Amino acid sequence: MLTLLAGQPECLWDEALPIEVKELPEDLAALDRLLGDPAVLGPIVERWQREFEQTGRQVIDQGRRIRASSQQ
């Protein structure tokens, strides 16, 4: 599972899975490293935070959206 802000919690199933299942393929790992850089998504987060404060709309995490769309 890809995450932006927190690590994946450990569970019993994690112990049963082989290491290959837990690791990202190289292309997704590279995308994950890029999106993990605060400088990449920082301007988007700041703008959306201002918009949320002005309009009260829900903020969608762009890192999560980009990661999800790259898996399709």
Side-chain angles (χ1 to χ4, degrees), residues 13-66:
W13 288 107
D14 289 337
E15 299 301 321
L17 294 172
I19 192 70
E20 296 82 18
V21 174
K22 299 177 191 179
E23 295 179 352
L24 292 172
E26 186 55 38
D27 58 341
L28 291 179
L31 180 60
D32 190 51
R33 286 189 298 274
L34 175 68
L35 294 175
D37 182 358
V40 173
L41 295 177
I44 295 172
V45 171
E46 290 174 14
R47 179 168 183 251
W48 282 35
Q49 186 62 36
R50 284 192 311 270
E51 184 177 322
F52 173 72
E53 291 169 358
Q54 294 170 356
T55 64
R57 290 189 215 153
Q58 293 291 328
V59 176
I60 299 170
D61 184 335
Q62 285 298 292
R64 188 171 295 143
R65 185 190 68 77
I66 294 168

